Amino acid sequence: MSADNDVRRYPGFGLFSAIFFAYLYLPIAVVVFYSFNANRIVSNWGGFSLHWYTTALSNANLLTAVKTSLLVATVATVASTLVALMAALVLVRGRNVRFRRISETVVNLPLLLPEIVVAVAVLILFSEVGLANGLAKLMIAHTTFCIPFAFLPIRARLQGMDLDLEEAARDLYATGWVAFRRVTLPLIMPGVLAGAMLAFVISMDDFITSNLLNSGGATTLPVYIFSLIKQGVSPQLNAISTLIMVVSVVLASVAFLLQRRQWTRRSFS
């Protein structure tokens, strides 16, 4: 890159970047800092303490909410990724598919509509069919709005894949299933994993749908955190938020290291 095209040489770029990152990460740093506050009042520093972390980790309601969120997110991720994979294969690889554009719009409809509209529609549907199990309602609803988030990366990966590889496998007398399992699926696996991770994050982070369908003890982590906020901000809430951030950073780091390791192996192979 030449000196004329180096954006770091523009006047004020460094100051603007510092202000931007301070605006973005300073509130997070404040939350982490006050999570170690020994005082019950968040704004008053009372010394360093891990009391609120031990309180959060021993909170039975919190642990139940975490288990519920993980269970719902796992089921929704697996189901939505399978549906998205089949839809992408049909819409991208299928020949003479009628109403292709309309079908893609239907698949992406939960992404286009406001979430509150989808949540109210699902709530009315479950009331009409008489479904009372709160956990089942959450799994079905989360699967529904996670499908487009899993569909888009898989479709993009399929569209960028060379068809000659599949045709070569068929020329070598491979059946359609064998060609998909040995050729297509390994090549689109990064898109499948990206879609699955995105669906999992969206499900874990959802509040509107989970709050409307919250019944029968099926309380997810965002809904539980919201209930704590209504009672007032406490250092325990800061500790919970810090733990969530630490887990997110660890998972993202592990995924990055595994992907980097895979790239290194490919470069030396």
PDB file of all heavy atoms in Angstrom, residues 182-218:
ATOM      1  N   ARG A 182     -19.072 -36.587   0.286  1.00  0.00           N
ATOM      2  CA  ARG A 182     -17.619 -36.573   0.125  1.00  0.00           C
ATOM      3  C   ARG A 182     -17.095 -35.289  -0.519  1.00  0.00           C
ATOM      4  O   ARG A 182     -15.924 -34.950  -0.324  1.00  0.00           O
ATOM      5  CB  ARG A 182     -17.191 -37.771  -0.731  1.00  0.00           C
ATOM      6  CG  ARG A 182     -17.454 -39.128  -0.088  1.00  0.00           C
ATOM      7  CD  ARG A 182     -16.539 -39.337   1.095  1.00  0.00           C
ATOM      8  NE  ARG A 182     -16.678 -40.654   1.679  1.00  0.00           N
ATOM      9  CZ  ARG A 182     -15.992 -41.725   1.292  1.00  0.00           C
ATOM     10  NH1 ARG A 182     -15.124 -41.627   0.304  1.00  0.00           N
ATOM     11  NH2 ARG A 182     -16.179 -42.888   1.881  1.00  0.00           N
ATOM     12  N   VAL A 183     -17.924 -34.594  -1.292  1.00  0.00           N
ATOM     13  CA  VAL A 183     -17.442 -33.428  -2.046  1.00  0.00           C
ATOM     14  C   VAL A 183     -18.152 -32.145  -1.594  1.00  0.00           C
ATOM     15  O   VAL A 183     -17.510 -31.198  -1.129  1.00  0.00           O
ATOM     16  CB  VAL A 183     -17.626 -33.638  -3.566  1.00  0.00           C
ATOM     17  CG1 VAL A 183     -17.159 -32.388  -4.325  1.00  0.00           C
ATOM     18  CG2 VAL A 183     -16.876 -34.864  -4.033  1.00  0.00           C
ATOM     19  N   THR A 184     -19.472 -32.120  -1.745  1.00  0.00           N
ATOM     20  CA  THR A 184     -20.208 -30.875  -1.500  1.00  0.00           C
ATOM     21  C   THR A 184     -20.152 -30.435  -0.044  1.00  0.00           C
ATOM     22  O   THR A 184     -19.814 -29.292   0.265  1.00  0.00           O
ATOM     23  CB  THR A 184     -21.667 -31.030  -1.948  1.00  0.00           C
ATOM     24  OG1 THR A 184     -21.708 -31.482  -3.300  1.00  0.00           O
ATOM     25  CG2 THR A 184     -22.400 -29.699  -1.837  1.00  0.00           C
ATOM     26  N   LEU A 185     -20.493 -31.357   0.853  1.00  0.00           N
ATOM     27  CA  LEU A 185     -20.569 -30.990   2.267  1.00  0.00           C
ATOM     28  C   LEU A 185     -19.231 -30.521   2.838  1.00  0.00           C
ATOM     29  O   LEU A 185     -19.196 -29.504   3.551  1.00  0.00           O
ATOM     30  CB  LEU A 185     -21.117 -32.166   3.077  1.00  0.00           C
ATOM     31  CG  LEU A 185     -21.393 -31.890   4.561  1.00  0.00           C
ATOM     32  CD1 LEU A 185     -22.398 -30.747   4.710  1.00  0.00           C
ATOM     33  CD2 LEU A 185     -21.906 -33.133   5.263  1.00  0.00           C
ATOM     34  N   PRO A 186     -18.100 -31.199   2.565  1.00  0.00           N
ATOM     35  CA  PRO A 186     -16.825 -30.664   3.091  1.00  0.00           C
ATOM     36  C   PRO A 186     -16.488 -29.274   2.553  1.00  0.00           C
ATOM     37  O   PRO A 186     -15.891 -28.461   3.275  1.00  0.00           O
ATOM     38  CB  PRO A 186     -15.789 -31.705   2.632  1.00  0.00           C
ATOM     39  CG  PRO A 186     -16.558 -32.966   2.464  1.00  0.00           C
ATOM     40  CD  PRO A 186     -17.899 -32.539   1.950  1.00  0.00           C
ATOM     41  N   LEU A 187     -16.863 -28.999   1.303  1.00  0.00           N
ATOM     42  CA  LEU A 187     -16.536 -27.703   0.716  1.00  0.00           C
ATOM     43  C   LEU A 187     -17.403 -26.578   1.269  1.00  0.00           C
ATOM     44  O   LEU A 187     -16.947 -25.434   1.371  1.00  0.00           O
ATOM     45  CB  LEU A 187     -16.664 -27.771  -0.809  1.00  0.00           C
ATOM     46  CG  LEU A 187     -15.610 -28.628  -1.530  1.00  0.00           C
ATOM     47  CD1 LEU A 187     -15.919 -28.698  -3.018  1.00  0.00           C
ATOM     48  CD2 LEU A 187     -14.213 -28.056  -1.314  1.00  0.00           C
ATOM     49  N   ILE A 188     -18.644 -26.888   1.603  1.00  0.00           N
ATOM     50  CA  ILE A 188     -19.526 -25.848   2.132  1.00  0.00           C
ATOM     51  C   ILE A 188     -19.561 -25.849   3.657  1.00  0.00           C
ATOM     52  O   ILE A 188     -20.314 -25.065   4.260  1.00  0.00           O
ATOM     53  CB  ILE A 188     -20.961 -26.006   1.585  1.00  0.00           C
ATOM     54  CG1 ILE A 188     -21.592 -27.297   2.118  1.00  0.00           C
ATOM     55  CG2 ILE A 188     -20.975 -25.963   0.078  1.00  0.00           C
ATOM     56  CD1 ILE A 188     -23.063 -27.426   1.765  1.00  0.00           C
ATOM     57  N   MET A 189     -18.750 -26.713   4.285  1.00  0.00           N
ATOM     58  CA  MET A 189     -18.765 -26.807   5.746  1.00  0.00           C
ATOM     59  C   MET A 189     -18.465 -25.480   6.441  1.00  0.00           C
ATOM     60  O   MET A 189     -19.085 -25.169   7.474  1.00  0.00           O
ATOM     61  CB  MET A 189     -17.789 -27.882   6.219  1.00  0.00           C
ATOM     62  CG  MET A 189     -17.841 -28.160   7.709  1.00  0.00           C
ATOM     63  SD  MET A 189     -19.512 -28.624   8.284  1.00  0.00           S
ATOM     64  CE  MET A 189     -19.690 -30.225   7.479  1.00  0.00           C
ATOM     65  N   PRO A 190     -17.531 -24.649   5.947  1.00  0.00           N
ATOM     66  CA  PRO A 190     -17.347 -23.333   6.598  1.00  0.00           C
ATOM     67  C   PRO A 190     -18.615 -22.497   6.627  1.00  0.00           C
ATOM     68  O   PRO A 190     -18.909 -21.829   7.625  1.00  0.00           O
ATOM     69  CB  PRO A 190     -16.250 -22.671   5.761  1.00  0.00           C
ATOM     70  CG  PRO A 190     -15.482 -23.817   5.186  1.00  0.00           C
ATOM     71  CD  PRO A 190     -16.499 -24.880   4.907  1.00  0.00           C
ATOM     72  N   GLY A 191     -19.390 -22.529   5.530  1.00  0.00           N
ATOM     73  CA  GLY A 191     -20.664 -21.806   5.517  1.00  0.00           C
ATOM     74  C   GLY A 191     -21.676 -22.407   6.461  1.00  0.00           C
ATOM     75  O   GLY A 191     -22.430 -21.683   7.119  1.00  0.00           O
ATOM     76  N   VAL A 192     -21.699 -23.744   6.543  1.00  0.00           N
ATOM     77  CA  VAL A 192     -22.619 -24.418   7.469  1.00  0.00           C
ATOM     78  C   VAL A 192     -22.274 -24.071   8.915  1.00  0.00           C
ATOM     79  O   VAL A 192     -23.153 -23.757   9.724  1.00  0.00           O
ATOM     80  CB  VAL A 192     -22.591 -25.938   7.244  1.00  0.00           C
ATOM     81  CG1 VAL A 192     -23.450 -26.652   8.284  1.00  0.00           C
ATOM     82  CG2 VAL A 192     -23.076 -26.286   5.842  1.00  0.00           C
ATOM     83  N   LEU A 193     -20.986 -24.115   9.256  1.00  0.00           N
ATOM     84  CA  LEU A 193     -20.567 -23.777  10.618  1.00  0.00           C
ATOM     85  C   LEU A 193     -20.829 -22.313  10.934  1.00  0.00           C
ATOM     86  O   LEU A 193     -21.244 -21.972  12.053  1.00  0.00           O
ATOM     87  CB  LEU A 193     -19.086 -24.101  10.799  1.00  0.00           C
ATOM     88  CG  LEU A 193     -18.704 -25.590  10.728  1.00  0.00           C
ATOM     89  CD1 LEU A 193     -17.206 -25.766  10.892  1.00  0.00           C
ATOM     90  CD2 LEU A 193     -19.452 -26.390  11.778  1.00  0.00           C
ATOM     91  N   ALA A 194     -20.590 -21.442   9.947  1.00  0.00           N
ATOM     92  CA  ALA A 194     -20.862 -20.014  10.170  1.00  0.00           C
ATOM     93  C   ALA A 194     -22.350 -19.775  10.405  1.00  0.00           C
ATOM     94  O   ALA A 194     -22.732 -19.008  11.301  1.00  0.00           O
ATOM     95  CB  ALA A 194     -20.368 -19.201   8.979  1.00  0.00           C
ATOM     96  N   GLY A 195     -23.193 -20.435   9.615  1.00  0.00           N
ATOM     97  CA  GLY A 195     -24.626 -20.296   9.809  1.00  0.00           C
ATOM     98  C   GLY A 195     -25.087 -20.847  11.146  1.00  0.00           C
ATOM     99  O   GLY A 195     -25.941 -20.261  11.811  1.00  0.00           O
ATOM    100  N   ALA A 196     -24.508 -21.992  11.555  1.00  0.00           N
ATOM    101  CA  ALA A 196     -24.871 -22.589  12.841  1.00  0.00           C
ATOM    102  C   ALA A 196     -24.443 -21.692  14.000  1.00  0.00           C
ATOM    103  O   ALA A 196     -25.205 -21.491  14.962  1.00  0.00           O
ATOM    104  CB  ALA A 196     -24.239 -23.969  12.968  1.00  0.00           C
ATOM    105  N   MET A 197     -23.234 -21.139  13.928  1.00  0.00           N
ATOM    106  CA  MET A 197     -22.772 -20.249  15.001  1.00  0.00           C
ATOM    107  C   MET A 197     -23.622 -18.990  15.070  1.00  0.00           C
ATOM    108  O   MET A 197     -23.968 -18.515  16.163  1.00  0.00           O
ATOM    109  CB  MET A 197     -21.304 -19.885  14.773  1.00  0.00           C
ATOM    110  CG  MET A 197     -20.330 -21.031  14.954  1.00  0.00           C
ATOM    111  SD  MET A 197     -18.623 -20.553  14.633  1.00  0.00           S
ATOM    112  CE  MET A 197     -18.382 -19.287  15.888  1.00  0.00           C
ATOM    113  N   LEU A 198     -23.992 -18.453  13.906  1.00  0.00           N
ATOM    114  CA  LEU A 198     -24.831 -17.254  13.898  1.00  0.00           C
ATOM    115  C   LEU A 198     -26.208 -17.555  14.481  1.00  0.00           C
ATOM    116  O   LEU A 198     -26.752 -16.756  15.262  1.00  0.00           O
ATOM    117  CB  LEU A 198     -24.962 -16.729  12.471  1.00  0.00           C
ATOM    118  CG  LEU A 198     -25.665 -15.385  12.272  1.00  0.00           C
ATOM    119  CD1 LEU A 198     -24.955 -14.298  13.063  1.00  0.00           C
ATOM    120  CD2 LEU A 198     -25.705 -15.012  10.791  1.00  0.00           C
ATOM    121  N   ALA A 199     -26.780 -18.710  14.130  1.00  0.00           N
ATOM    122  CA  ALA A 199     -28.086 -19.093  14.676  1.00  0.00           C
ATOM    123  C   ALA A 199     -28.009 -19.284  16.189  1.00  0.00           C
ATOM    124  O   ALA A 199     -28.922 -18.891  16.929  1.00  0.00           O
ATOM    125  CB  ALA A 199     -28.580 -20.374  13.997  1.00  0.00           C
ATOM    126  N   PHE A 200     -26.922 -19.886  16.659  1.00  0.00           N
ATOM    127  CA  PHE A 200     -26.763 -20.107  18.099  1.00  0.00           C
ATOM    128  C   PHE A 200     -26.674 -18.782  18.854  1.00  0.00           C
ATOM    129  O   PHE A 200     -27.313 -18.608  19.897  1.00  0.00           O
ATOM    130  CB  PHE A 200     -25.511 -20.946  18.355  1.00  0.00           C
ATOM    131  CG  PHE A 200     -25.297 -21.305  19.795  1.00  0.00           C
ATOM    132  CD1 PHE A 200     -25.944 -22.394  20.350  1.00  0.00           C
ATOM    133  CD2 PHE A 200     -24.447 -20.554  20.595  1.00  0.00           C
ATOM    134  CE1 PHE A 200     -25.756 -22.726  21.684  1.00  0.00           C
ATOM    135  CE2 PHE A 200     -24.248 -20.880  21.931  1.00  0.00           C
ATOM    136  CZ  PHE A 200     -24.913 -21.971  22.477  1.00  0.00           C
ATOM    137  N   VAL A 201     -25.906 -17.847  18.321  1.00  0.00           N
ATOM    138  CA  VAL A 201     -25.759 -16.535  18.976  1.00  0.00           C
ATOM    139  C   VAL A 201     -27.088 -15.783  18.982  1.00  0.00           C
ATOM    140  O   VAL A 201     -27.473 -15.179  19.997  1.00  0.00           O
ATOM    141  CB  VAL A 201     -24.659 -15.715  18.281  1.00  0.00           C
ATOM    142  CG1 VAL A 201     -24.639 -14.289  18.802  1.00  0.00           C
ATOM    143  CG2 VAL A 201     -23.302 -16.361  18.487  1.00  0.00           C
ATOM    144  N   ILE A 202     -27.808 -15.826  17.856  1.00  0.00           N
ATOM    145  CA  ILE A 202     -29.090 -15.124  17.775  1.00  0.00           C
ATOM    146  C   ILE A 202     -30.083 -15.719  18.770  1.00  0.00           C
ATOM    147  O   ILE A 202     -30.834 -14.996  19.439  1.00  0.00           O
ATOM    148  CB  ILE A 202     -29.645 -15.206  16.341  1.00  0.00           C
ATOM    149  CG1 ILE A 202     -28.753 -14.402  15.381  1.00  0.00           C
ATOM    150  CG2 ILE A 202     -31.073 -14.683  16.278  1.00  0.00           C
ATOM    151  CD1 ILE A 202     -28.677 -12.929  15.689  1.00  0.00           C
ATOM    152  N   SER A 203     -30.102 -17.040  18.896  1.00  0.00           N
ATOM    153  CA  SER A 203     -31.013 -17.685  19.832  1.00  0.00           C
ATOM    154  C   SER A 203     -30.656 -17.348  21.279  1.00  0.00           C
ATOM    155  O   SER A 203     -31.536 -17.054  22.095  1.00  0.00           O
ATOM    156  CB  SER A 203     -30.994 -19.204  19.626  1.00  0.00           C
ATOM    157  OG  SER A 203     -31.820 -19.858  20.565  1.00  0.00           O
ATOM    158  N   MET A 204     -29.369 -17.400  21.613  1.00  0.00           N
ATOM    159  CA  MET A 204     -28.952 -17.084  22.981  1.00  0.00           C
ATOM    160  C   MET A 204     -29.252 -15.630  23.332  1.00  0.00           C
ATOM    161  O   MET A 204     -29.521 -15.309  24.494  1.00  0.00           O
ATOM    162  CB  MET A 204     -27.457 -17.355  23.143  1.00  0.00           C
ATOM    163  CG  MET A 204     -27.085 -18.822  23.218  1.00  0.00           C
ATOM    164  SD  MET A 204     -27.602 -19.617  24.764  1.00  0.00           S
ATOM    165  CE  MET A 204     -26.636 -18.720  25.973  1.00  0.00           C
ATOM    166  N   ASP A 205     -29.207 -14.750  22.345  1.00  0.00           N
ATOM    167  CA  ASP A 205     -29.350 -13.319  22.593  1.00  0.00           C
ATOM    168  C   ASP A 205     -30.801 -12.846  22.532  1.00  0.00           C
ATOM    169  O   ASP A 205     -31.089 -11.701  22.899  1.00  0.00           O
ATOM    170  CB  ASP A 205     -28.510 -12.540  21.573  1.00  0.00           C
ATOM    171  CG  ASP A 205     -28.451 -11.055  21.887  1.00  0.00           C
ATOM    172  OD1 ASP A 205     -28.030 -10.713  22.999  1.00  0.00           O
ATOM    173  OD2 ASP A 205     -28.848 -10.244  21.024  1.00  0.00           O
ATOM    174  N   ASP A 206     -31.716 -13.693  22.083  1.00  0.00           N
ATOM    175  CA  ASP A 206     -33.094 -13.241  21.850  1.00  0.00           C
ATOM    176  C   ASP A 206     -33.799 -12.904  23.160  1.00  0.00           C
ATOM    177  O   ASP A 206     -33.687 -13.637  24.152  1.00  0.00           O
ATOM    178  CB  ASP A 206     -33.880 -14.333  21.115  1.00  0.00           C
ATOM    179  CG  ASP A 206     -35.326 -13.933  20.906  1.00  0.00           C
ATOM    180  OD1 ASP A 206     -35.584 -13.104  20.024  1.00  0.00           O
ATOM    181  OD2 ASP A 206     -36.184 -14.428  21.666  1.00  0.00           O
ATOM    182  N   PHE A 207     -34.540 -11.808  23.124  1.00  0.00           N
ATOM    183  CA  PHE A 207     -35.307 -11.400  24.296  1.00  0.00           C
ATOM    184  C   PHE A 207     -36.795 -11.251  23.993  1.00  0.00           C
ATOM    185  O   PHE A 207     -37.639 -11.713  24.764  1.00  0.00           O
ATOM    186  CB  PHE A 207     -34.773 -10.075  24.850  1.00  0.00           C
ATOM    187  CG  PHE A 207     -35.666  -9.470  25.902  1.00  0.00           C
ATOM    188  CD1 PHE A 207     -35.694  -9.999  27.182  1.00  0.00           C
ATOM    189  CD2 PHE A 207     -36.494  -8.395  25.597  1.00  0.00           C
ATOM    190  CE1 PHE A 207     -36.524  -9.463  28.153  1.00  0.00           C
ATOM    191  CE2 PHE A 207     -37.323  -7.846  26.562  1.00  0.00           C
ATOM    192  CZ  PHE A 207     -37.337  -8.384  27.846  1.00  0.00           C
ATOM    193  N   ILE A 208     -37.147 -10.622  22.871  1.00  0.00           N
ATOM    194  CA  ILE A 208     -38.548 -10.297  22.602  1.00  0.00           C
ATOM    195  C   ILE A 208     -39.399 -11.553  22.524  1.00  0.00           C
ATOM    196  O   ILE A 208     -40.411 -11.704  23.227  1.00  0.00           O
ATOM    197  CB  ILE A 208     -38.657  -9.471  21.305  1.00  0.00           C
ATOM    198  CG1 ILE A 208     -37.927  -8.134  21.457  1.00  0.00           C
ATOM    199  CG2 ILE A 208     -40.115  -9.236  20.946  1.00  0.00           C
ATOM    200  CD1 ILE A 208     -37.930  -7.292  20.203  1.00  0.00           C
ATOM    201  N   THR A 209     -39.009 -12.491  21.679  1.00  0.00           N
ATOM    202  CA  THR A 209     -39.777 -13.723  21.528  1.00  0.00           C
ATOM    203  C   THR A 209     -39.766 -14.536  22.817  1.00  0.00           C
ATOM    204  O   THR A 209     -40.795 -15.076  23.238  1.00  0.00           O
ATOM    205  CB  THR A 209     -39.215 -14.564  20.372  1.00  0.00           C
ATOM    206  OG1 THR A 209     -39.230 -13.784  19.168  1.00  0.00           O
ATOM    207  CG2 THR A 209     -40.038 -15.817  20.158  1.00  0.00           C
ATOM    208  N   SER A 210     -38.610 -14.629  23.451  1.00  0.00           N
ATOM    209  CA  SER A 210     -38.513 -15.407  24.690  1.00  0.00           C
ATOM    210  C   SER A 210     -39.361 -14.801  25.799  1.00  0.00           C
ATOM    211  O   SER A 210     -39.948 -15.520  26.612  1.00  0.00           O
ATOM    212  CB  SER A 210     -37.047 -15.491  25.134  1.00  0.00           C
ATOM    213  OG  SER A 210     -36.253 -16.112  24.148  1.00  0.00           O
ATOM    214  N   ASN A 211     -39.442 -13.475  25.837  1.00  0.00           N
ATOM    215  CA  ASN A 211     -40.240 -12.817  26.870  1.00  0.00           C
ATOM    216  C   ASN A 211     -41.730 -13.043  26.655  1.00  0.00           C
ATOM    217  O   ASN A 211     -42.485 -13.257  27.618  1.00  0.00           O
ATOM    218  CB  ASN A 211     -39.935 -11.323  26.888  1.00  0.00           C
ATOM    219  CG  ASN A 211     -40.516 -10.615  28.096  1.00  0.00           C
ATOM    220  OD1 ASN A 211     -40.535 -11.162  29.187  1.00  0.00           O
ATOM    221  ND2 ASN A 211     -40.989  -9.399  27.893  1.00  0.00           N
ATOM    222  N   LEU A 212     -42.182 -13.023  25.399  1.00  0.00           N
ATOM    223  CA  LEU A 212     -43.600 -13.238  25.122  1.00  0.00           C
ATOM    224  C   LEU A 212     -44.006 -14.692  25.359  1.00  0.00           C
ATOM    225  O   LEU A 212     -45.136 -14.961  25.780  1.00  0.00           O
ATOM    226  CB  LEU A 212     -43.924 -12.843  23.675  1.00  0.00           C
ATOM    227  CG  LEU A 212     -43.942 -11.343  23.357  1.00  0.00           C
ATOM    228  CD1 LEU A 212     -44.278 -11.114  21.898  1.00  0.00           C
ATOM    229  CD2 LEU A 212     -44.935 -10.615  24.244  1.00  0.00           C
ATOM    230  N   LEU A 213     -43.101 -15.629  25.088  1.00  0.00           N
ATOM    231  CA  LEU A 213     -43.421 -17.052  25.228  1.00  0.00           C
ATOM    232  C   LEU A 213     -42.961 -17.617  26.562  1.00  0.00           C
ATOM    233  O   LEU A 213     -42.975 -18.835  26.756  1.00  0.00           O
ATOM    234  CB  LEU A 213     -42.774 -17.842  24.086  1.00  0.00           C
ATOM    235  CG  LEU A 213     -43.207 -17.450  22.673  1.00  0.00           C
ATOM    236  CD1 LEU A 213     -42.470 -18.283  21.642  1.00  0.00           C
ATOM    237  CD2 LEU A 213     -44.714 -17.610  22.502  1.00  0.00           C
ATOM    238  N   ASN A 214     -42.532 -16.753  27.472  1.00  0.00           N
ATOM    239  CA  ASN A 214     -42.034 -17.204  28.762  1.00  0.00           C
ATOM    240  C   ASN A 214     -43.182 -17.742  29.611  1.00  0.00           C
ATOM    241  O   ASN A 214     -44.043 -17.001  30.069  1.00  0.00           O
ATOM    242  CB  ASN A 214     -41.349 -16.037  29.481  1.00  0.00           C
ATOM    243  CG  ASN A 214     -40.852 -16.425  30.853  1.00  0.00           C
ATOM    244  OD1 ASN A 214     -40.545 -17.596  31.116  1.00  0.00           O
ATOM    245  ND2 ASN A 214     -40.775 -15.451  31.735  1.00  0.00           N
ATOM    246  N   SER A 215     -43.202 -19.062  29.791  1.00  0.00           N
ATOM    247  CA  SER A 215     -44.247 -19.694  30.592  1.00  0.00           C
ATOM    248  C   SER A 215     -43.779 -21.076  31.011  1.00  0.00           C
ATOM    249  O   SER A 215     -42.880 -21.661  30.397  1.00  0.00           O
ATOM    250  CB  SER A 215     -45.558 -19.811  29.798  1.00  0.00           C
ATOM    251  OG  SER A 215     -45.389 -20.644  28.667  1.00  0.00           O
ATOM    252  N   GLY A 216     -44.373 -21.584  32.050  1.00  0.00           N
ATOM    253  CA  GLY A 216     -44.058 -22.934  32.491  1.00  0.00           C
ATOM    254  C   GLY A 216     -42.635 -23.122  32.955  1.00  0.00           C
ATOM    255  O   GLY A 216     -42.072 -24.209  32.809  1.00  0.00           O
ATOM    256  N   GLY A 217     -42.029 -22.074  33.523  1.00  0.00           N
ATOM    257  CA  GLY A 217     -40.660 -22.193  34.007  1.00  0.00           C
ATOM    258  C   GLY A 217     -39.604 -22.127  32.931  1.00  0.00           C
ATOM    259  O   GLY A 217     -38.421 -22.324  33.217  1.00  0.00           O
ATOM    260  N   ALA A 218     -39.977 -21.856  31.683  1.00  0.00           N
ATOM    261  CA  ALA A 218     -39.014 -21.778  30.577  1.00  0.00           C
ATOM    262  C   ALA A 218     -38.496 -20.348  30.466  1.00  0.00           C
ATOM    263  O   ALA A 218     -38.845 -19.607  29.545  1.00  0.00           O
ATOM    264  CB  ALA A 218     -39.655 -22.230  29.268  1.00  0.00           C
TER     265      ALA A 218
END
